[in-house]
Amino acid sequence: MQDLLREMHQWMHDYMRSFYTDDEEVQKGIVLKEEHTGYVTSISKELAGHLGLSLEDRQLAEIIGLFHDVGRFRQFSVYRTFNDAKSEDHAALGLQVLEELPFLKEMPKASADIVRFAILWHNKKEIQGAKSRRQLFFAKLIRDADKLDIYRVLRPFLTAPTDEGISRDFVTKFRNGEQVDYTKIRTQEDRKLVRLMWVYDINFAWTLKKVAERGYVADIIKELPKDKDVEEGVRRLLAYVEKKCAQPDVAEL
Ligand SMILES: [Fe+2]
Protein backbone atom coordinates (compact mmCIF):
# COMPACT_ATOMS: atom_id res chain seq x y z
CA MET A 1 0.00 0.00 0.00
CA GLN A 2 2.91 2.36 0.76
CA ASP A 3 3.93 2.67 -2.91
CA LEU A 4 0.35 3.10 -4.03
CA LEU A 5 -0.16 5.78 -1.40
CA ARG A 6 2.92 7.63 -2.65
CA GLU A 7 1.62 7.50 -6.24
CA MET A 8 -1.75 8.80 -5.09
CA HIS A 9 -0.13 11.76 -3.31
CA GLN A 10 1.98 12.55 -6.37
CA TRP A 11 -1.01 12.35 -8.70
CA MET A 12 -3.20 14.53 -6.45
CA HIS A 13 -0.42 17.10 -6.09
CA ASP A 14 0.01 17.36 -9.88
CA TYR A 15 -3.75 17.24 -10.50
CA MET A 16 -4.50 20.15 -8.16
CA ARG A 17 -1.70 22.21 -9.69
CA SER A 18 -2.98 21.52 -13.20
CA PHE A 19 -5.88 23.86 -12.32
CA TYR A 20 -3.61 26.80 -11.49
CA THR A 21 -4.48 29.84 -13.58
CA ASP A 22 -3.72 33.55 -14.00
CA ASP A 23 -7.33 34.36 -13.19
CA GLU A 24 -6.90 35.59 -9.61
CA GLU A 25 -10.40 34.74 -8.46
CA VAL A 26 -10.23 31.16 -9.76
CA GLN A 27 -6.69 30.71 -8.44
CA LYS A 28 -7.86 31.72 -4.96
CA GLY A 29 -10.56 29.04 -5.03
CA ILE A 30 -8.17 26.34 -6.24
CA VAL A 31 -5.51 27.16 -3.61
CA LEU A 32 -8.18 27.17 -0.91
CA LYS A 33 -9.17 23.62 -1.86
CA GLU A 34 -5.55 22.52 -2.21
CA GLU A 35 -4.83 23.70 1.34
CA HIS A 36 -8.05 22.14 2.63
CA THR A 37 -7.02 18.81 1.03
CA GLY A 38 -3.64 18.97 2.79
CA TYR A 39 -5.17 19.73 6.19
CA VAL A 40 -7.93 17.14 5.93
CA THR A 41 -5.40 14.48 4.90
CA SER A 42 -3.24 15.15 7.97
CA ILE A 43 -6.24 15.41 10.32
CA SER A 44 -7.53 12.06 9.01
CA LYS A 45 -4.14 10.45 9.66
CA GLU A 46 -3.93 11.97 13.11
CA LEU A 47 -7.45 10.93 14.08
CA ALA A 48 -6.82 7.40 12.78
CA GLY A 49 -3.67 7.28 14.92
CA HIS A 50 -5.55 8.54 17.98
CA LEU A 51 -8.13 5.78 17.47
CA GLY A 52 -5.38 3.17 17.43
CA LEU A 53 -6.05 1.90 13.90
CA SER A 54 -3.76 -0.57 12.16
CA LEU A 55 -1.23 0.75 9.62
CA GLU A 56 -3.46 -0.40 6.73
CA ASP A 57 -6.49 1.38 8.19
CA ARG A 58 -4.50 4.53 8.91
CA GLN A 59 -3.48 4.52 5.27
CA LEU A 60 -7.09 3.99 4.24
CA ALA A 61 -8.10 7.04 6.29
CA GLU A 62 -5.29 9.00 4.63
CA ILE A 63 -6.46 8.00 1.13
CA ILE A 64 -10.02 9.09 1.91
CA GLY A 65 -8.76 12.41 3.27
CA LEU A 66 -6.57 12.96 0.24
CA PHE A 67 -9.34 12.28 -2.29
CA HIS A 68 -12.46 13.40 -0.40
CA ASP A 69 -12.68 16.69 -2.33
CA VAL A 70 -11.09 15.64 -5.62
CA GLY A 71 -14.40 16.53 -7.29
CA ARG A 72 -14.04 20.18 -6.24
CA PHE A 73 -11.45 20.86 -8.95
CA ARG A 74 -13.51 19.59 -11.87
CA GLN A 75 -16.57 21.26 -10.32
CA PHE A 76 -14.87 24.65 -10.27
CA SER A 77 -13.33 24.32 -13.71
CA VAL A 78 -16.66 23.34 -15.30
CA TYR A 79 -19.13 25.46 -13.31
CA ARG A 80 -16.98 28.22 -11.74
CA THR A 81 -18.66 27.60 -8.39
CA PHE A 82 -18.22 25.41 -5.30
CA ASN A 83 -21.96 25.53 -4.71
CA ASP A 84 -23.31 21.99 -5.18
CA ALA A 85 -26.88 23.24 -5.51
CA LYS A 86 -25.87 25.48 -8.42
CA SER A 87 -23.71 22.80 -10.10
CA GLU A 88 -23.63 19.18 -9.01
CA ASP A 89 -22.77 17.13 -5.95
CA HIS A 90 -18.98 17.41 -5.65
CA ALA A 91 -18.72 14.08 -3.82
CA ALA A 92 -20.39 12.16 -6.66
CA LEU A 93 -18.29 14.12 -9.14
CA GLY A 94 -15.18 13.13 -7.17
CA LEU A 95 -16.06 9.46 -7.51
CA GLN A 96 -16.37 9.92 -11.28
CA VAL A 97 -12.85 11.39 -11.34
CA LEU A 98 -11.51 8.51 -9.21
CA GLU A 99 -13.11 5.84 -11.41
CA GLU A 100 -11.14 7.22 -14.36
CA LEU A 101 -7.90 6.48 -12.49
CA PRO A 102 -6.19 3.13 -11.83
CA PHE A 103 -5.90 3.61 -8.03
CA LEU A 104 -9.18 2.13 -6.78
CA LYS A 105 -8.74 -0.91 -9.00
CA GLU A 106 -5.34 -1.52 -7.44
CA MET A 107 -6.83 -1.72 -3.95
CA PRO A 108 -8.63 -4.70 -2.36
CA LYS A 109 -12.30 -4.46 -3.39
CA ALA A 110 -13.60 -4.02 0.18
CA SER A 111 -11.14 -1.13 0.81
CA ALA A 112 -11.98 0.56 -2.50
CA ASP A 113 -15.66 0.32 -1.58
CA ILE A 114 -14.93 1.98 1.77
CA VAL A 115 -13.18 4.85 -0.06
CA ARG A 116 -16.16 5.21 -2.40
CA PHE A 117 -18.70 5.12 0.41
CA ALA A 118 -16.85 7.53 2.71
CA ILE A 119 -16.29 10.06 -0.06
CA LEU A 120 -19.85 9.88 -1.34
CA TRP A 121 -21.29 10.52 2.15
CA HIS A 122 -18.70 12.99 3.45
CA ASN A 123 -20.84 16.02 2.59
CA LYS A 124 -24.39 14.79 3.09
CA LYS A 125 -26.65 15.78 5.96
CA GLU A 126 -26.40 12.25 7.31
CA ILE A 127 -24.79 8.95 6.41
CA GLN A 128 -27.16 6.43 4.87
CA GLY A 129 -26.98 2.87 3.59
CA ALA A 130 -23.59 1.71 4.89
CA LYS A 131 -23.06 -1.93 3.98
CA SER A 132 -20.65 -2.64 6.82
CA ARG A 133 -19.40 -1.24 10.13
CA ARG A 134 -16.15 -0.34 8.39
CA GLN A 135 -17.88 1.73 5.72
CA LEU A 136 -19.82 3.58 8.41
CA PHE A 137 -16.73 4.07 10.58
CA PHE A 138 -14.57 5.58 7.81
CA ALA A 139 -17.44 7.81 6.70
CA LYS A 140 -17.65 9.13 10.27
CA LEU A 141 -13.91 9.69 10.37
CA ILE A 142 -13.76 11.77 7.17
CA ARG A 143 -16.82 13.79 8.19
CA ASP A 144 -15.06 14.77 11.42
CA ALA A 145 -11.75 15.60 9.71
CA ASP A 146 -13.58 17.66 7.10
CA LYS A 147 -15.67 19.60 9.63
CA LEU A 148 -12.65 20.41 11.79
CA ASP A 149 -10.90 22.02 8.83
CA ILE A 150 -14.03 23.72 7.49
CA TYR A 151 -14.29 25.53 10.83
CA ARG A 152 -10.78 26.89 10.11
CA VAL A 153 -11.77 27.98 6.60
CA LEU A 154 -15.06 29.53 7.66
CA ARG A 155 -13.86 31.29 10.82
CA PRO A 156 -13.50 34.75 9.21
CA PHE A 157 -16.99 34.54 7.71
CA LEU A 158 -18.69 33.16 10.80
CA THR A 159 -17.29 35.74 13.16
CA ALA A 160 -18.04 38.88 11.16
CA PRO A 161 -20.96 40.83 12.62
CA THR A 162 -23.92 41.47 10.30
CA ASP A 163 -27.26 43.22 10.63
CA GLU A 164 -29.13 40.62 8.60
CA GLY A 165 -31.14 39.25 11.53
CA ILE A 166 -31.81 35.65 12.40
CA SER A 167 -34.71 33.39 11.42
CA ARG A 168 -37.06 32.72 14.34
CA ASP A 169 -37.64 29.06 13.54
CA PHE A 170 -33.85 28.50 13.46
CA VAL A 171 -33.52 30.03 16.91
CA THR A 172 -36.33 27.83 18.27
CA LYS A 173 -34.72 24.71 16.85
CA PHE A 174 -31.33 25.78 18.19
CA ARG A 175 -32.80 26.33 21.66
CA ASN A 176 -34.31 22.85 21.59
CA GLY A 177 -31.19 21.23 20.11
CA GLU A 178 -33.12 20.09 17.04
CA GLN A 179 -31.82 19.79 13.48
CA VAL A 180 -32.60 22.62 11.06
CA ASP A 181 -33.36 22.49 7.38
CA TYR A 182 -30.24 23.84 5.63
CA THR A 183 -32.22 24.77 2.54
CA LYS A 184 -34.14 27.34 4.64
CA ILE A 185 -30.99 29.36 5.49
CA ARG A 186 -31.92 33.00 4.85
CA THR A 187 -29.23 35.13 6.48
CA GLN A 188 -25.60 35.04 7.54
CA GLU A 189 -26.79 34.83 11.17
CA ASP A 190 -28.74 31.65 10.29
CA ARG A 191 -25.53 30.29 8.81
CA LYS A 192 -23.67 30.90 12.08
CA LEU A 193 -26.27 28.87 13.98
CA VAL A 194 -26.17 26.05 11.44
CA ARG A 195 -22.39 25.79 11.65
CA LEU A 196 -22.53 25.92 15.42
CA MET A 197 -25.02 23.05 15.36
CA TRP A 198 -22.52 20.95 13.43
CA VAL A 199 -21.11 20.31 16.88
CA TYR A 200 -24.00 17.88 17.46
CA ASP A 201 -22.94 15.96 14.36
CA ILE A 202 -19.29 15.45 15.35
CA ASN A 203 -18.56 11.80 15.94
CA PHE A 204 -15.40 11.67 18.03
CA ALA A 205 -14.50 13.47 21.27
CA TRP A 206 -11.00 13.99 19.79
CA THR A 207 -12.45 16.18 17.03
CA LEU A 208 -14.81 18.07 19.28
CA LYS A 209 -11.99 18.85 21.71
CA LYS A 210 -9.96 20.34 18.84
CA VAL A 211 -12.96 22.36 17.64
CA ALA A 212 -13.40 23.73 21.16
CA GLU A 213 -9.67 24.24 21.91
CA ARG A 214 -9.15 26.21 18.72
CA GLY A 215 -11.90 28.56 19.81
CA TYR A 216 -14.15 27.90 16.81
CA VAL A 217 -17.23 27.43 19.00
CA ALA A 218 -16.51 30.34 21.35
CA ASP A 219 -15.78 32.69 18.43
CA ILE A 220 -19.12 31.99 16.76
CA ILE A 221 -21.01 32.24 20.06
CA LYS A 222 -19.49 35.66 20.75
CA GLU A 223 -20.97 37.01 17.54
CA LEU A 224 -24.49 35.63 17.93
CA PRO A 225 -27.33 38.12 18.45
CA LYS A 226 -28.30 38.75 22.09
CA ASP A 227 -31.50 36.79 22.59
CA LYS A 228 -32.96 34.69 25.43
CA ASP A 229 -33.61 31.67 23.23
CA VAL A 230 -30.17 31.87 21.61
CA GLU A 231 -28.63 31.93 25.09
CA GLU A 232 -30.64 28.88 26.10
CA GLY A 233 -29.42 27.08 22.95
CA VAL A 234 -25.83 28.05 23.75
CA ARG A 235 -26.14 26.64 27.28
CA ARG A 236 -27.47 23.37 25.90
CA LEU A 237 -24.72 23.23 23.31
CA LEU A 238 -21.89 23.91 25.77
CA ALA A 239 -23.25 21.27 28.17
CA TYR A 240 -23.30 18.81 25.27
CA VAL A 241 -19.72 19.66 24.28
CA GLU A 242 -18.50 19.13 27.84
CA LYS A 243 -20.27 15.76 28.14
CA LYS A 244 -19.15 14.49 24.74
CA CYS A 245 -15.54 15.56 25.28
CA ALA A 246 -15.41 13.57 28.53
CA GLN A 247 -16.38 10.33 26.75
CA PRO A 248 -13.61 8.03 25.52
CA ASP A 249 -13.36 7.42 21.76
CA VAL A 250 -13.74 3.87 20.52
CA ALA A 251 -13.01 2.72 16.98
CA GLU A 252 -16.11 0.69 16.07
CA LEU A 253 -14.49 -1.48 13.47
FE1 LIG B 1 -16.15 18.13 0.41
Side-chain angles (χ1 to χ4, degrees), residues 21-35:
T21 157
D22 292 335
D23 181 326
E24 245 179 75
E25 211 41 43
V26 177
Q27 179 68 6
K28 240 169 74 184
I30 296 300
V31 168
L32 192 95
K33 292 301 172 193
E34 187 181 7
E35 287 172 355

Side-chain angles (χ1 to χ4, degrees), residues 43-218:
I43 295 167
S44 301
K45 270 167 77 174
E46 221 187 306
L47 177 51
H50 159 77
L51 293 168
L53 303 197
S54 67
L55 175 63
E56 287 249 313
D57 282 350
R58 293 200 307 271
Q59 290 173 333
L60 196 52
E62 184 174 345
I63 292 168
I64 295 165
L66 181 68
F67 288 143
H68 84 286
D69 259 355
V70 68
R72 284 298 192 191
F73 300 89
R74 188 173 289 176
Q75 179 184 44
F76 208 71
S77 79
V78 174
Y79 301 100
R80 291 283 181 255
T81 178
F82 288 130
N83 187 328
D84 286 6
K86 290 185 182 145
S87 54
E88 60 179 299
D89 175 30
H90 73 277
L93 190 56
L95 289 189
Q96 278 177 35
V97 175
L98 285 182
E99 297 302 344
E100 294 164 13
L101 301 168
F103 301 132
L104 291 183
K105 293 166 205 86
E106 288 172 31
M107 295 173 70
K109 165 108 176 37
S111 303
D113 282 344
I114 289 172
V115 173
R116 291 184 181 100
F117 184 83
I119 292 181
L120 186 61
W121 291 96
H122 88 269
N123 64 331
K124 307 299 183 294
K125 213 173 151 193
E126 54 195 28
I127 307 169
Q128 281 171 19
K131 294 219 168 55
S132 65
R133 283 164 80 97
R134 286 175 61 76
Q135 288 191 354
L136 182 63
F137 171 79
F138 283 96
K140 285 181 175 179
L141 192 150
I142 185 60
R143 286 168 71 91
D144 268 34
D146 196 27
K147 284 194 180 73
L148 177 56
D149 192 57
I150 293 176
Y151 273 121
R152 174 190 65 83
V153 174
L154 290 183
R155 170 146 38 186
F157 307 100
L158 293 178
T159 52
T162 76
D163 54 7
E164 288 175 16
I166 197 158
S167 299
R168 213 57 235 169
D169 52 326
F170 273 43
V171 173
T172 307
K173 292 237 160 72
F174 177 62
R175 186 195 60 204
N176 299 334
E178 290 163 11
Q179 284 298 315
V180 294
D181 183 354
Y182 290 8
T183 59
K184 300 229 166 76
I185 291 180
R186 205 174 42 83
T187 70
Q188 185 60 13
E189 299 305 305
D190 293 352
R191 206 159 274 127
K192 287 179 189 172
L193 272 195
V194 166
R195 291 310 176 204
L196 201 52
M197 287 170 85
W198 258 10
V199 156
Y200 290 120
D201 193 31
I202 285 180
N203 298 294
F204 300 102
W206 181 90
T207 320
L208 195 48
K209 274 184 208 156
K210 296 248 184 275
V211 170
E213 277 164 20
R214 295 178 187 180
Y216 299 145
V217 170

